[in-house]
Amino acid sequence: MSFDMKKLTSEQPALPVVIVGNGPSAICLSYFLTGHRPYIKNGAVHPNPILQKKLQQIGDCSLLDQDLEYLAEGVEGRSQNPMAVLFDSLVRPDRDFGGTADSVLTWKEDHKDHIQHLVLGKGPPGGSWHSFDGSMTTLSLGEWMELPGLNFRDWIRRKGRNLRNDRATTKDVAQYYQHYVKVMGLKKYFASGTLVTSIKPVDLSSLQRTSLSLHSTEDLSKKLYEIKGVCLSKEAPETPFCVYAENVVLATGTYDSPAHLGVDGEDFPFVYHKISDLESAVEEQRLGPNSDPILVIGAGLTAADAVLLAHHRNVPVLHTFRRGLNDLGLIFNQLPQMMYPEYHKVHQMMREKCCLPCKCYTGYRSLPLHHVKSFSSDKTCVLKSTKEGKKVFRISMAFVLIGSNPNLSFLANSGKHLTVDQEHEVNCKRNPIDTHPFTYESLQEPGLYALGPLAGDSFVRFLQGGALAVTASLIQKRKVQSVR
């Protein structure tokens, strides 16, 4: 079944699942929902003896038929979510502890076991990966970007390319995800070029007065979700759509809304919040060696990319950030030098050009332990140091690169009621959506799930365990319904 967005109206039957977002979380979940099931390889031995003993009890049954909470107990890894750690441990046994063992999983497809679903996304499959500068390399190893059933390294080699320091470019990753949807037969479930504007729960009893197609055996006390939006594609521009679903999975990622400082003057036209604006300014020669310095705000990898871009084009840079250079929370203090030479270079620049000028790295100046107080219309910026008080700098442009937040404006109150701390906005690092650890279902809204960064899994290698958990939960719900 393929979806014609022109025909997606409230007259259509309710779908079992609608996925909002079409990045790697959504793609992986779609793969599972189409009947692809993980099994333990014959003769596979996991290096964790406790987990190995549990796996031996599975036999020829699918992993989705097991007690996943029991399997995840005691398995350790670099995610706070036990399902993320479990799945990653099965695919990459003991990789974080220097292990080199192969995956213990194999995949089988059962067309009879698929769950009908629809994936909605603004752009092509791959989500925000298509919005990055294609020449940038990923933080994660290339093999950690792959999804089940399609080896990333082999795919890269077939393209006649190699991984640099075992890392891929963002362009390669975006193309891999788009190709994955095609080669795995998932394209018919994806409706790209769609913008979701509203999701709200509705009761079946109230829908009897509408033209929604319902089964005569439907439990009228059951809740559905109404999903409204508009098409952005050329084939159906600005065409509204409305669908109903028994379950909704939020997989929108975290790159929709750049974070703001919240200081005076941040809305002036010379203050930007995306690195793409810096790329455009350099390409259009609005910045150059004779410009006033740009101000880069932030100490993450995006800010580092901006510093490198400007430095390579001889654009003067003032680089300010709140943390100290020896702060263990500074990302550069956590990255191996051999694997991330470009970011080590930025860290070296930050240290050697700290506040005082020197002959190396001409045109760059580092300002640790500073934060922005305000911007003025004459392109001056006031910074405040924790030690030296206020300083005023004249700049050409400012780039606030301090992270981003998900855009959940299509939910009531932008989804605040779904979070761990309902007094604050959704934040993927500090205040994710509050979900059950083994189903990823919202603890506030039954039938609503969250995947990927929204549930605290920021890396592709870990979000796949969440997709497995959602699939297992949906299968269990279907079993319960069939008994009724």
Side-chain angles (χ1 to χ4, degrees), residues 267-287:
D267 56 348
F268 284 128
F270 63 90
V271 181
Y272 300 89
H273 296 82
K274 294 181 179 179
I275 192 173
S276 58
D277 293 314
L278 174 58
E279 296 165 357
S280 299
V282 170
E283 292 299 325
E284 296 166 7
Q285 298 184 346
R286 290 184 283 128
L287 290 172

Side-chain angles (χ1 to χ4, degrees), residues 142-147 150-157 163 167-169 172-173 176:
E143 67 172 286
W144 292 356
M145 312 309 297
E146 75 182 32
L147 299 179
L150 182 61
N151 185 281
F152 185 81
R153 189 180 294 273
D154 291 345
W155 179 83
I156 283 285
R157 287 172 178 164
L163 297 177
R167 294 158 62 204
T169 66
D172 286 334
V173 175
Y176 167 82

